């Protein structure tokens, strides 16, 4: 069995992170922006797992589990905010939310 | 098939699905692409000997979090956005892609500096629930673990308070 090296893991992680950045910077739909953030968190998890295996310790796995727990809390609060937003403004398009801009 | 071939295969699938998340017109298609991406990443974790993380990825991410997303998308019943849903060809779109491409190229260029060393011998039972549980409940991670439980409670209460009609 030929094992996977560290470089390909980090390269995949970097590509996924960059895709998440594209989503956050270019999309107008708040829900898709949230999903892009989840994509970035997953890219970081992949890097954690890759480094963990390189070191032969399991600390990176523990961090990955923590990241997932924080992501779950973030998704719950974020989606509640989206629901609140939709109830008040009937939109999830981020460009329409300019009431606080000067 | 060797491990690395499978890894490249699932990584390709993950990147493809990630691209689809960013490019899809409707949020529900994005969400389903994200589920595919999460499953492919779970396979990658399993190939990297992170068995517990792979299972949690499927249960928590592909299960709980994405169900929450799809619930909200269907609850809101958002109509299709205007004629240019991507916004990728606008000034902001090009700027965003440029920044992200710069970041990605920078991160990948940084890989050149990595010192390659032979992979260490992984101990017996590496990445299993037993192994991670021992670490998680050791003195090192016990406090963060309890803090995460508090965070989840606060997040749950916060979500209920925010989404309730009248407090």
């Amino acid at each position: 069995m030929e094992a996977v090296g560290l470089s390909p893991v980090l390269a995949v992680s970097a590509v996924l992170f960059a895709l998440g950045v594209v989503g956050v910077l270019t999309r107008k739909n708040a829900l898709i922006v949230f999903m892009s953030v989840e994509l970035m968190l997953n890219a970081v998890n992949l890097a954690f797992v890759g480094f963990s295996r390189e070191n032969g310790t399991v600390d990176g796995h523990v961090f990955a589990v923590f990241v997932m727990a924080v992501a779950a809390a973030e998704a719950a609060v974020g989606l509640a905010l989206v629901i609140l937003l939709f109830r008040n403004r009937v939109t999830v398009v981020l460009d329409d939310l300019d009431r606080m801009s000067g | 098939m060797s491990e690395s071939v499978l890894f490249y295969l699932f990584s390709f699938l993950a990147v493809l699905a990630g691209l689809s998340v960013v490019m899809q017109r409707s949020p529900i298609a994005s969400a389903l692409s994200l589920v595919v991406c999460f499953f492919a990443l779970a396979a990658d974790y399993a190939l990297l000997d992170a068995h517990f993380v792979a299972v949690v990825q499927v249960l928590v991410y592909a299960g709980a979090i994405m169900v929450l997303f799809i619930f909200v998308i269907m609850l809101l019943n958002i109509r299709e956005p205007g004629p240019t849903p991507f916004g990728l060809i606008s000034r902001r779109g090009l700027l965003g892609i440029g920044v992200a491409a710069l970041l990605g190229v920078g991160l990948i260029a940084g890989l050149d500096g990595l010192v390659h060393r032979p992979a260490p011998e992984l101990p017996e039972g590496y990445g299993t629930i037993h192994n991670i549980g021992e670490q998680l409940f050791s003195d090192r991670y016990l406090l963060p673990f309890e803090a995460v439980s508090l965070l989840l409670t606060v997040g749950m209460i916060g979500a209920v308070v925010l989404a309730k009609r009248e407090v």
Side-chain angles (χ1 to χ4, degrees):
Chain A
M1 289 281 256
E2 188 195 341
V4 191
L6 181 58
S7 300
V9 177
L10 292 183
V12 173
S13 170
V15 170
L16 282 176
F17 193 88
L19 277 175
V21 173
V22 171
V24 169
L25 290 180
T26 60
R27 295 305 302 252
K28 297 174 183 175
N29 190 320
L31 287 162
I32 293 180
V33 170
F34 262 124
M35 287 184 225
S36 302
V37 172
E38 300 290 334
L39 198 61
M40 286 156 81
L41 288 170
N42 265 273
V44 173
N45 270 354
L46 186 61
F48 271 139
V49 169
F51 276 120
S52 187
R53 192 177 122 120
E54 186 77 358
N55 285 328
T57 60
V58 86
D59 298 69
H61 298 191
V62 175
F63 278 134
V65 171
F66 281 150
V67 169
M68 284 179 193
V70 174
E74 176 249 329
V77 175
L79 289 172
L81 281 172
V82 170
I83 289 178
L84 198 66
L85 183 71
F86 191 77
R87 196 179 290 149
N88 285 330
R89 303 286 303 269
V90 201
T91 180
V92 290
V93 179
L94 295 172
D95 283 3
D96 295 346
L97 309 173
D98 52 0
R99 192 176 281 176
M100 281 176 78
S101 73
Chain B
M1 240 189 302
S2 78
E3 266 181 54
S4 55
V5 172
L6 277 175
F7 180 83
Y8 287 123
L9 210 70
F10 282 116
S11 299
F12 182 69
L13 182 63
V15 170
L16 217 63
L19 204 63
S20 171
V21 171
V22 178
M23 302 284 285
Q24 285 293 342
R25 172 189 285 257
S26 76
I28 198 85
S30 273
L32 294 178
S33 304
L34 199 55
V35 172
V36 173
C37 184
F38 285 164
F39 269 102
L41 279 173
D44 275 359
Y45 293 152
L47 288 170
L48 292 170
D49 298 300
H51 311 292
F52 177 65
V53 179
V55 171
V56 173
Q57 166 89 1
V58 172
L59 285 182
V60 174
Y61 257 121
I65 295 183
M66 288 323 292
V67 167
L68 197 63
F69 264 100
I70 290 173
F71 260 178
V72 171
I73 292 168
M74 291 187 166
L75 197 68
L76 298 185
N77 190 21
I78 304 152
R79 283 191 206 86
E80 292 288 305
T84 53
F86 299 146
L88 290 180
I89 312 302
S90 64
R91 199 170 66 108
R92 183 177 67 170
L94 292 176
L95 218 65
I97 291 173
V99 169
L102 214 64
L103 180 74
V105 168
L107 284 174
I108 290 174
L111 293 181
D112 276 346
L114 276 182
V115 179
H116 290 280
R117 56 180 184 186
E121 274 298 309
L122 297 177
E124 188 70 26
Y126 176 80
T128 55
I129 298 179
H130 180 87
N131 192 355
I132 290 177
E134 262 178 351
Q135 279 287 317
L136 207 56
F137 293 104
S138 68
D139 286 346
R140 227 163 151 197
Y141 293 113
L142 193 58
L143 186 66
F145 181 77
E146 298 295 342
V148 161
S149 65
L150 193 67
L151 177 78
L152 282 171
T153 314
V154 171
M156 201 170 64
I157 295 170
V160 170
V161 169
L162 280 174
K164 253 178 85 158
R165 268 184 203 285
E166 274 153 32
V167 182

